[in-house]
Amino acid sequence: MTDNLKHYFAPMAWVSGAWAKDVLLRVADDGTWASIEANASVDQRRQATLLTGPVLPGLVNAHSHAFQRAIAGMTERADGGPDNFWSWRDRMYSAAQRITPQQLEAIAALLYAELLRAGYTQVCEFHYLHNDIDGTPYANPLEMSCALVRAAQRVGIGITLLPTLYMRSGFAATGLRDDQQRFKSTPASIFKVCEGIEKQFGRGLVNTGLALHSLRAVGQGALQEAAACAKTRNMPIHIHMAEQTGEVADCIATLGQRPVEWLLNHASLDASWNLVHATHTTPAELEGVKCSGASIVLCPTTEANLGDGVFDLPTYAKMQGNWSLGSDSHVTRSWQEELRLLEYSQRFALRQRNVVAAASNQTSTAAALFNAALSGGSTACGQHMDGLAAGNRADFSVVDTTSPALLGVPNDHVLDAMIFSSPDARLSEVYVAGKPVVQVGRVENWQCLDDDFSNAMRVLWV
């Protein structure tokens, strides 16, 4: 080889939605894929770095509230009354009101390291802790945003920061409750955060987008103003949508339409839009989302943990609708568990097997799930990250085939076993932009990350 590119050789790699054999992967100086070549010759293999297992492209975690990693396992006790999303939210607020910038950075850094170890290489951070604990603006309006970006840079994951517009406590409210003052923002303040982050951290592994918390938190005028500005900047737009039946009922009572129905009629949806959850939608609404080019972000373990309900994935998959995967409240940090639960929730509801494969007219349920999450993730983060292909960022993971879940599994069933045989198959290495960030299953300085996180948790939960 006469070029100066980094060369890796994989015995098998996930290329164009299926396993390819003897794959030569070339990384350009800018951290993107220069080329991907299957059936590489013996001479090509000798001059490349040998990767010890099957290679998967890095996945985008399309929905994260990093601070909620601090409450994983802390909201699972009943207090004697009915327990639902709204009572969980009150408990979540108790943590949101106390976290400092230093604690947020420590919590996010460990979380992001966990995501990397799982094979997520980009995280879309839906960020609404803008102000100080008492609700007053920080002297530096970027204080909490910078904590998140520093956490991502500390471990090497890519981050799409989504500063969140949050202006009122409910559909009919004119402002925020006392316990929501940390979230207070305006379209102007949101885009100042975006501009400040891009100026301070450049582009590279950091980019920004717009989050609109929800229809109950943002009125029509502000929503349209912010979305129009985001589109002039070619930003991804994210919004919580139809997660709870109570939210749907309130929307109908106040706006006269269901949430997704209202958005389709008033927001000029296009491919920049990402509707988070969309759990309670009709087939007509799903058809509208599909036709608009917008995507849906599914967060199966959080939707299960909060008792949200089951998304109508068979209908949406038959339409070939776009969707991505998020871990939201981070009750798990494993994409394998997210996809497993996504399929299993359909099996529970329908009493059928391989539901997504059938709806997608494919043979492998694992392939149908993984390929959809991979494609949708690229849209969610606004980056070229939809697989091992020239021009995409050179993110990938190496599967540890000594994982108990994979022992003796034929090569063409590796992905099936990774998703549907637990405990999760491990990853031995993870690369972001062609550089190793996880080696021998570990992130660099893990002990320091562990100590900082533990110290933050002791203060929060004393």
Side-chain angles (χ1 to χ4, degrees), residues 177-226:
R177 298 175 356 191
D178 289 344
D179 59 358
Q180 296 173 320
Q181 293 302 311
R182 290 201 86 174
F183 316 155
K184 189 175 183 178
S185 51
T186 65
S189 71
I190 291 302
F191 288 109
K192 282 183 180 178
V193 171
C194 293
E195 291 166 359
I197 290 296
E198 290 175 2
K199 182 177 180 180
Q200 184 167 338
F201 295 98
R203 299 293 288 182
L205 297 181
V206 180
N207 72 311
T208 62
L210 167 69
L212 305 156
H213 183 271
S214 56
L215 292 185
R216 69 177 184 272
V218 182
Q220 180 175 348
L223 182 148
Q224 291 173 335
E225 175 189 346

Short mmCIF file of all heavy atoms in Angstrom, two decimals, residues 177-226:
data_model
loop_
_atom_site.label_atom_id
_atom_site.label_comp_id
_atom_site.label_asym_id
_atom_site.label_seq_id
_atom_site.Cartn_x
_atom_site.Cartn_y
_atom_site.Cartn_z
N ARG A 177 -43.63 26.56 36.76
CA ARG A 177 -43.77 26.37 38.20
C ARG A 177 -42.46 26.72 38.89
O ARG A 177 -41.41 26.82 38.27
CB ARG A 177 -44.14 24.92 38.52
CG ARG A 177 -45.44 24.49 37.93
CD ARG A 177 -45.79 23.02 38.12
NE ARG A 177 -44.82 22.16 38.76
CZ ARG A 177 -44.94 20.82 38.79
NH1 ARG A 177 -45.96 20.23 38.20
NH2 ARG A 177 -44.03 20.09 39.40
N ASP A 178 -42.53 26.88 40.22
CA ASP A 178 -41.32 27.20 40.98
C ASP A 178 -40.25 26.13 40.81
O ASP A 178 -39.05 26.44 40.76
CB ASP A 178 -41.65 27.36 42.47
CG ASP A 178 -42.44 28.63 42.75
OD1 ASP A 178 -42.48 29.52 41.87
OD2 ASP A 178 -43.03 28.73 43.85
N ASP A 179 -40.66 24.85 40.73
CA ASP A 179 -39.68 23.78 40.62
C ASP A 179 -39.20 23.56 39.18
O ASP A 179 -38.50 22.58 38.90
CB ASP A 179 -40.23 22.47 41.20
CG ASP A 179 -41.50 22.00 40.51
OD1 ASP A 179 -41.98 22.70 39.59
OD2 ASP A 179 -42.03 20.93 40.89
N GLN A 180 -39.56 24.44 38.25
CA GLN A 180 -39.12 24.34 36.87
C GLN A 180 -38.27 25.54 36.43
O GLN A 180 -37.95 25.66 35.25
CB GLN A 180 -40.33 24.23 35.94
CG GLN A 180 -41.16 22.97 36.15
CD GLN A 180 -42.44 22.99 35.33
OE1 GLN A 180 -43.10 24.02 35.19
NE2 GLN A 180 -42.79 21.83 34.76
N GLN A 181 -37.90 26.41 37.37
CA GLN A 181 -37.21 27.63 36.99
C GLN A 181 -35.82 27.38 36.40
O GLN A 181 -35.32 28.20 35.62
CB GLN A 181 -37.10 28.57 38.20
CG GLN A 181 -38.45 29.12 38.67
CD GLN A 181 -39.19 29.88 37.59
OE1 GLN A 181 -38.63 30.76 36.93
NE2 GLN A 181 -40.46 29.53 37.38
N ARG A 182 -35.21 26.25 36.71
CA ARG A 182 -33.91 25.92 36.11
C ARG A 182 -34.04 25.72 34.60
O ARG A 182 -33.05 25.81 33.87
CB ARG A 182 -33.33 24.63 36.70
CG ARG A 182 -32.87 24.72 38.12
CD ARG A 182 -31.87 23.63 38.46
NE ARG A 182 -30.52 24.00 38.11
CZ ARG A 182 -29.44 23.28 38.40
NH1 ARG A 182 -29.56 22.12 39.02
NH2 ARG A 182 -28.23 23.70 38.05
N PHE A 183 -35.24 25.43 34.13
CA PHE A 183 -35.45 25.08 32.72
C PHE A 183 -35.75 26.32 31.87
O PHE A 183 -35.78 26.22 30.64
CB PHE A 183 -36.64 24.12 32.57
CG PHE A 183 -36.69 22.99 33.56
CD1 PHE A 183 -37.90 22.39 33.87
CD2 PHE A 183 -35.55 22.52 34.19
CE1 PHE A 183 -37.99 21.34 34.78
CE2 PHE A 183 -35.62 21.47 35.11
CZ PHE A 183 -36.84 20.89 35.40
N LYS A 184 -35.98 27.46 32.51
CA LYS A 184 -36.50 28.64 31.81
C LYS A 184 -35.57 29.07 30.68
O LYS A 184 -34.35 29.19 30.84
CB LYS A 184 -36.66 29.79 32.80
CG LYS A 184 -37.38 31.00 32.23
CD LYS A 184 -37.63 32.05 33.31
CE LYS A 184 -38.40 33.23 32.77
NZ LYS A 184 -38.68 34.24 33.82
N SER A 185 -36.18 29.33 29.52
CA SER A 185 -35.39 29.71 28.33
C SER A 185 -36.30 30.39 27.33
O SER A 185 -37.53 30.37 27.45
CB SER A 185 -34.73 28.47 27.71
OG SER A 185 -35.69 27.45 27.48
N THR A 186 -35.69 31.00 26.33
CA THR A 186 -36.40 31.63 25.22
C THR A 186 -35.73 31.20 23.92
O THR A 186 -34.59 30.70 23.96
CB THR A 186 -36.33 33.17 25.33
OG1 THR A 186 -34.95 33.57 25.17
CG2 THR A 186 -36.86 33.65 26.66
N PRO A 187 -36.37 31.39 22.78
CA PRO A 187 -35.68 31.07 21.53
C PRO A 187 -34.33 31.78 21.43
O PRO A 187 -33.33 31.18 21.01
CB PRO A 187 -36.67 31.54 20.46
CG PRO A 187 -38.02 31.36 21.10
CD PRO A 187 -37.80 31.75 22.54
N ALA A 188 -34.27 33.05 21.83
CA ALA A 188 -33.01 33.79 21.74
C ALA A 188 -31.94 33.18 22.63
O ALA A 188 -30.77 33.03 22.22
CB ALA A 188 -33.23 35.25 22.11
N SER A 189 -32.30 32.80 23.87
CA SER A 189 -31.30 32.24 24.77
C SER A 189 -30.80 30.88 24.29
O SER A 189 -29.62 30.55 24.45
CB SER A 189 -31.87 32.12 26.20
OG SER A 189 -32.85 31.10 26.30
N ILE A 190 -31.69 30.10 23.69
CA ILE A 190 -31.30 28.78 23.18
C ILE A 190 -30.25 28.92 22.08
O ILE A 190 -29.22 28.22 22.09
CB ILE A 190 -32.54 28.02 22.66
CG1 ILE A 190 -33.46 27.64 23.81
CG2 ILE A 190 -32.12 26.79 21.86
CD1 ILE A 190 -32.81 26.79 24.88
N PHE A 191 -30.47 29.82 21.15
CA PHE A 191 -29.52 29.93 20.04
C PHE A 191 -28.23 30.62 20.46
O PHE A 191 -27.18 30.40 19.84
CB PHE A 191 -30.18 30.61 18.84
CG PHE A 191 -31.19 29.71 18.17
CD1 PHE A 191 -32.55 29.96 18.27
CD2 PHE A 191 -30.78 28.58 17.50
CE1 PHE A 191 -33.47 29.11 17.69
CE2 PHE A 191 -31.69 27.72 16.92
CZ PHE A 191 -33.04 27.98 17.01
N LYS A 192 -28.27 31.40 21.54
CA LYS A 192 -27.02 31.94 22.09
C LYS A 192 -26.17 30.81 22.66
O LYS A 192 -24.93 30.83 22.54
CB LYS A 192 -27.32 32.98 23.17
CG LYS A 192 -27.73 34.33 22.61
CD LYS A 192 -27.94 35.35 23.72
CE LYS A 192 -28.36 36.71 23.14
NZ LYS A 192 -28.62 37.71 24.21
N VAL A 193 -26.81 29.83 23.27
CA VAL A 193 -26.08 28.66 23.75
C VAL A 193 -25.45 27.90 22.59
O VAL A 193 -24.27 27.54 22.62
CB VAL A 193 -27.00 27.71 24.56
CG1 VAL A 193 -26.28 26.40 24.87
CG2 VAL A 193 -27.45 28.38 25.86
N CYS A 194 -26.22 27.69 21.54
CA CYS A 194 -25.69 26.99 20.35
C CYS A 194 -24.48 27.73 19.79
O CYS A 194 -23.43 27.13 19.50
CB CYS A 194 -26.76 26.86 19.28
SG CYS A 194 -28.14 25.76 19.72
N GLU A 195 -24.62 29.03 19.62
CA GLU A 195 -23.52 29.83 19.07
C GLU A 195 -22.30 29.79 19.98
O GLU A 195 -21.16 29.67 19.51
CB GLU A 195 -23.98 31.27 18.87
CG GLU A 195 -25.01 31.43 17.75
CD GLU A 195 -25.70 32.78 17.78
OE1 GLU A 195 -25.39 33.60 18.68
OE2 GLU A 195 -26.56 33.03 16.91
N GLY A 196 -22.54 29.87 21.29
CA GLY A 196 -21.42 29.87 22.23
C GLY A 196 -20.69 28.54 22.24
O GLY A 196 -19.45 28.51 22.29
N ILE A 197 -21.44 27.44 22.20
CA ILE A 197 -20.81 26.12 22.21
C ILE A 197 -20.00 25.90 20.92
O ILE A 197 -18.86 25.41 20.96
CB ILE A 197 -21.88 25.02 22.36
CG1 ILE A 197 -22.46 25.05 23.78
CG2 ILE A 197 -21.31 23.64 22.04
CD1 ILE A 197 -21.49 24.73 24.89
N GLU A 198 -20.56 26.28 19.79
CA GLU A 198 -19.85 26.09 18.52
C GLU A 198 -18.59 26.96 18.47
O GLU A 198 -17.55 26.54 17.95
CB GLU A 198 -20.78 26.39 17.36
CG GLU A 198 -21.88 25.34 17.20
CD GLU A 198 -22.89 25.70 16.13
OE1 GLU A 198 -22.72 26.74 15.47
OE2 GLU A 198 -23.85 24.92 15.95
N LYS A 199 -18.68 28.16 19.01
CA LYS A 199 -17.52 29.05 19.03
C LYS A 199 -16.44 28.51 19.95
O LYS A 199 -15.24 28.54 19.62
CB LYS A 199 -17.93 30.45 19.46
CG LYS A 199 -16.78 31.45 19.46
CD LYS A 199 -17.27 32.85 19.84
CE LYS A 199 -16.11 33.86 19.84
NZ LYS A 199 -16.60 35.22 20.22
N GLN A 200 -16.81 28.02 21.12
CA GLN A 200 -15.85 27.57 22.11
C GLN A 200 -15.24 26.21 21.78
O GLN A 200 -14.06 25.98 22.02
CB GLN A 200 -16.50 27.52 23.49
CG GLN A 200 -15.55 27.15 24.62
CD GLN A 200 -16.14 27.43 25.98
OE1 GLN A 200 -17.06 28.23 26.12
NE2 GLN A 200 -15.61 26.78 27.01
N PHE A 201 -16.06 25.31 21.22
CA PHE A 201 -15.59 23.94 21.02
C PHE A 201 -15.42 23.57 19.55
O PHE A 201 -15.00 22.45 19.25
CB PHE A 201 -16.55 22.97 21.70
CG PHE A 201 -16.60 23.11 23.19
CD1 PHE A 201 -17.60 23.84 23.80
CD2 PHE A 201 -15.63 22.53 23.99
CE1 PHE A 201 -17.67 23.98 25.17
CE2 PHE A 201 -15.67 22.66 25.37
CZ PHE A 201 -16.69 23.39 25.97
N GLY A 202 -15.78 24.48 18.64
CA GLY A 202 -15.63 24.17 17.23
C GLY A 202 -16.63 23.11 16.80
O GLY A 202 -17.58 22.81 17.51
N ARG A 203 -16.40 22.54 15.65
CA ARG A 203 -17.32 21.51 15.18
C ARG A 203 -16.77 20.14 15.60
O ARG A 203 -17.12 19.64 16.63
CB ARG A 203 -17.48 21.62 13.65
CG ARG A 203 -18.06 22.95 13.18
CD ARG A 203 -19.49 23.16 13.60
NE ARG A 203 -20.42 22.31 12.87
CZ ARG A 203 -21.73 22.35 13.04
NH1 ARG A 203 -22.26 23.20 13.89
NH2 ARG A 203 -22.51 21.56 12.35
N GLY A 204 -15.86 19.54 14.83
CA GLY A 204 -15.26 18.28 15.22
C GLY A 204 -16.28 17.26 15.68
O GLY A 204 -17.24 16.94 14.97
N LEU A 205 -16.11 16.78 16.92
CA LEU A 205 -17.03 15.81 17.51
C LEU A 205 -18.17 16.49 18.24
O LEU A 205 -18.96 15.82 18.92
CB LEU A 205 -16.27 14.89 18.46
CG LEU A 205 -15.19 14.00 17.85
CD1 LEU A 205 -14.55 13.13 18.92
CD2 LEU A 205 -15.75 13.13 16.73
N VAL A 206 -18.26 17.82 18.15
CA VAL A 206 -19.30 18.57 18.84
C VAL A 206 -20.16 19.31 17.82
O VAL A 206 -19.62 20.04 16.97
CB VAL A 206 -18.71 19.58 19.84
CG1 VAL A 206 -19.81 20.36 20.54
CG2 VAL A 206 -17.80 18.89 20.84
N ASN A 207 -21.45 19.12 17.85
CA ASN A 207 -22.36 19.95 17.06
C ASN A 207 -23.62 20.23 17.87
O ASN A 207 -23.80 19.68 18.97
CB ASN A 207 -22.70 19.30 15.71
CG ASN A 207 -23.61 18.10 15.83
OD1 ASN A 207 -23.38 17.20 16.64
ND2 ASN A 207 -24.66 18.06 15.03
N THR A 208 -24.45 21.12 17.40
CA THR A 208 -25.62 21.52 18.16
C THR A 208 -26.89 21.38 17.32
O THR A 208 -26.84 21.32 16.09
CB THR A 208 -25.51 22.98 18.65
OG1 THR A 208 -25.42 23.85 17.52
CG2 THR A 208 -24.30 23.17 19.56
N GLY A 209 -28.00 21.34 18.01
CA GLY A 209 -29.31 21.34 17.37
C GLY A 209 -30.30 22.01 18.30
O GLY A 209 -29.91 22.62 19.31
N LEU A 210 -31.56 21.90 18.00
CA LEU A 210 -32.62 22.52 18.80
C LEU A 210 -33.50 21.44 19.40
O LEU A 210 -33.91 20.50 18.71
CB LEU A 210 -33.49 23.43 17.91
CG LEU A 210 -34.81 23.90 18.51
CD1 LEU A 210 -34.57 24.87 19.66
CD2 LEU A 210 -35.69 24.53 17.43
N ALA A 211 -33.80 21.59 20.69
CA ALA A 211 -34.83 20.77 21.31
C ALA A 211 -35.97 21.67 21.77
O ALA A 211 -35.75 22.73 22.37
CB ALA A 211 -34.27 19.99 22.50
N LEU A 212 -37.18 21.26 21.47
CA LEU A 212 -38.40 21.88 21.98
C LEU A 212 -38.95 20.88 22.99
O LEU A 212 -39.23 19.73 22.63
CB LEU A 212 -39.40 22.10 20.84
CG LEU A 212 -38.86 22.91 19.65
CD1 LEU A 212 -39.65 22.59 18.39
CD2 LEU A 212 -38.92 24.39 19.97
N HIS A 213 -39.06 21.28 24.25
CA HIS A 213 -39.36 20.26 25.25
C HIS A 213 -40.61 19.46 24.89
O HIS A 213 -40.59 18.22 24.88
CB HIS A 213 -39.51 20.85 26.64
CG HIS A 213 -39.74 19.78 27.67
ND1 HIS A 213 -41.01 19.33 28.00
CD2 HIS A 213 -38.87 19.04 28.40
CE1 HIS A 213 -40.90 18.36 28.88
NE2 HIS A 213 -39.62 18.17 29.14
N SER A 214 -41.70 20.15 24.58
CA SER A 214 -42.97 19.49 24.29
C SER A 214 -43.98 20.56 23.91
O SER A 214 -43.74 21.76 24.12
CB SER A 214 -43.48 18.71 25.51
OG SER A 214 -43.58 19.58 26.64
N LEU A 215 -45.12 20.14 23.38
CA LEU A 215 -46.17 21.11 23.07
C LEU A 215 -46.73 21.73 24.35
O LEU A 215 -47.16 22.89 24.34
CB LEU A 215 -47.30 20.44 22.29
CG LEU A 215 -46.99 20.00 20.86
CD1 LEU A 215 -48.26 19.47 20.19
CD2 LEU A 215 -46.37 21.11 20.04
N ARG A 216 -46.71 20.98 25.44
CA ARG A 216 -47.22 21.57 26.68
C ARG A 216 -46.27 22.63 27.23
O ARG A 216 -46.68 23.51 27.99
CB ARG A 216 -47.49 20.49 27.73
CG ARG A 216 -46.26 19.80 28.29
CD ARG A 216 -46.64 18.80 29.38
NE ARG A 216 -45.46 18.20 29.98
CZ ARG A 216 -44.85 17.12 29.55
NH1 ARG A 216 -45.32 16.48 28.49
NH2 ARG A 216 -43.78 16.64 30.17
N ALA A 217 -44.99 22.59 26.84
CA ALA A 217 -43.99 23.50 27.40
C ALA A 217 -43.64 24.66 26.47
O ALA A 217 -42.96 25.60 26.89
CB ALA A 217 -42.72 22.73 27.74
N VAL A 218 -44.08 24.60 25.21
CA VAL A 218 -43.73 25.63 24.22
C VAL A 218 -44.98 25.97 23.41
O VAL A 218 -45.59 25.08 22.81
CB VAL A 218 -42.61 25.15 23.27
CG1 VAL A 218 -42.25 26.25 22.28
CG2 VAL A 218 -41.37 24.72 24.06
N GLY A 219 -45.34 27.25 23.36
CA GLY A 219 -46.50 27.68 22.60
C GLY A 219 -46.22 27.74 21.10
O GLY A 219 -45.07 27.64 20.65
N GLN A 220 -47.27 27.91 20.34
CA GLN A 220 -47.17 27.87 18.88
C GLN A 220 -46.20 28.91 18.33
O GLN A 220 -45.37 28.59 17.49
CB GLN A 220 -48.55 28.06 18.25
CG GLN A 220 -48.52 28.03 16.72
CD GLN A 220 -49.91 28.11 16.11
OE1 GLN A 220 -50.92 27.97 16.80
NE2 GLN A 220 -49.98 28.33 14.80
N GLY A 221 -46.30 30.14 18.80
CA GLY A 221 -45.44 31.18 18.26
C GLY A 221 -43.97 30.91 18.49
O GLY A 221 -43.15 31.03 17.58
N ALA A 222 -43.61 30.55 19.72
CA ALA A 222 -42.21 30.28 20.04
C ALA A 222 -41.71 29.05 19.30
O ALA A 222 -40.56 29.01 18.84
CB ALA A 222 -42.06 30.10 21.55
N LEU A 223 -42.58 28.04 19.20
CA LEU A 223 -42.19 26.82 18.48
C LEU A 223 -41.86 27.13 17.03
O LEU A 223 -40.81 26.70 16.51
CB LEU A 223 -43.31 25.79 18.58
CG LEU A 223 -43.08 24.43 17.93
CD1 LEU A 223 -43.80 23.34 18.71
CD2 LEU A 223 -43.55 24.40 16.48
N GLN A 224 -42.72 27.86 16.38
CA GLN A 224 -42.50 28.17 14.96
C GLN A 224 -41.28 29.08 14.78
O GLN A 224 -40.52 28.91 13.82
CB GLN A 224 -43.76 28.79 14.37
CG GLN A 224 -44.92 27.80 14.27
CD GLN A 224 -46.23 28.43 13.84
OE1 GLN A 224 -46.45 29.63 14.04
NE2 GLN A 224 -47.12 27.63 13.26
N GLU A 225 -41.10 30.03 15.69
CA GLU A 225 -39.94 30.92 15.60
C GLU A 225 -38.64 30.14 15.75
O GLU A 225 -37.70 30.31 14.95
CB GLU A 225 -40.02 31.98 16.70
CG GLU A 225 -38.80 32.90 16.78
CD GLU A 225 -38.81 33.79 18.00
OE1 GLU A 225 -39.87 33.91 18.67
OE2 GLU A 225 -37.76 34.39 18.30
N ALA A 226 -38.57 29.29 16.76
CA ALA A 226 -37.35 28.53 17.01
C ALA A 226 -37.08 27.53 15.89
O ALA A 226 -35.94 27.37 15.43
CB ALA A 226 -37.45 27.80 18.35
#
